Amino acid sequence: QVHLVQSGGGLAQPGGSLTLSCAFSGGAFDDYAMGWFRQAPGLEREYVGSINWSGKSANVEESVKGRFTISRDNAKNMVYLRMDTLKPEDTAVYYCAAANFLTWVDDIKLYDTWGQGSQVTVSS
């Protein structure tokens, strides 16, 4: 079955950058759209962005547009979230997830498999 393993979380200063990685196994990676979500303490898990099966089309939510970039490398079964110009309000646990769709999707209910989460803390 599909399994996702994340890496790359940590502490960053405001204005800094981090890149999260997510390794996919157990299925045909190019059958899946991939998404990133985040959850801050006391809040619901929210959509950050997603990317289609090939990497040609991606979407990010408005609050991170221009700062966060999603990419994938299908030869390595990897998906990435590059976070630039980080703000304290970006502090959250970030999750990668796989959806059995070819197009990018933004509905959390369409994601079947989840990574273990990566803590991102933005603080001076």
Side-chain angles (χ1 to χ4, degrees):
Q1 60 193 44
V2 174
H3 184 59
L4 303 176
V5 179
Q6 298 177 222
S7 60
L11 177 65
Q13 294 184 330
S17 298
L18 282 174
T19 297
L20 304 181
S21 299
C22 177
F24 177 105
S25 62
F29 187 50
D30 60 2
D31 283 348
Y32 288 82
M34 298 295 295
W36 288 95
F37 298 77
R38 65 186 181 184
Q39 188 167 22
L43 300 180
E44 296 293 319
R45 192 169 299 185
E46 68 175 2
Y47 175 78
V48 175
S50 51
I51 191 164
N52 81 329
W53 72 275
S54 69
K56 284 192 173 184
S57 180
N59 180 70
V60 296
E61 62 101 11
E62 189 67 26
S63 70
V64 305
K65 189 173 294 182
R67 299 189 298 119
F68 289 14
T69 304
I70 298 170
S71 61
R72 68 192 292 163
D73 185 343
N74 283 2
K76 296 181 177 180
N77 288 5
M78 297 287 293
V79 64
Y80 307 96
L81 178 65
R82 186 176 73 240
M83 301 178 288
D84 297 315
T85 318
L86 282 161
K87 303 175 180 180
E89 53 262 46
D90 296 319
T91 295
V93 178
Y94 284 71
Y95 298 88
C96 68
N100 196 14
F101 290 81
L102 296 182
T103 188
W104 62 258
V105 289
D106 59 8
D107 186 352
I108 192 170
K109 297 180 179 66
L110 300 179
Y111 286 85
D112 301 311
T113 304
W114 294 82
Q116 81 276 20
S118 298
Q119 177 68 52
V120 172
T121 301
V122 184
S123 177
S124 59

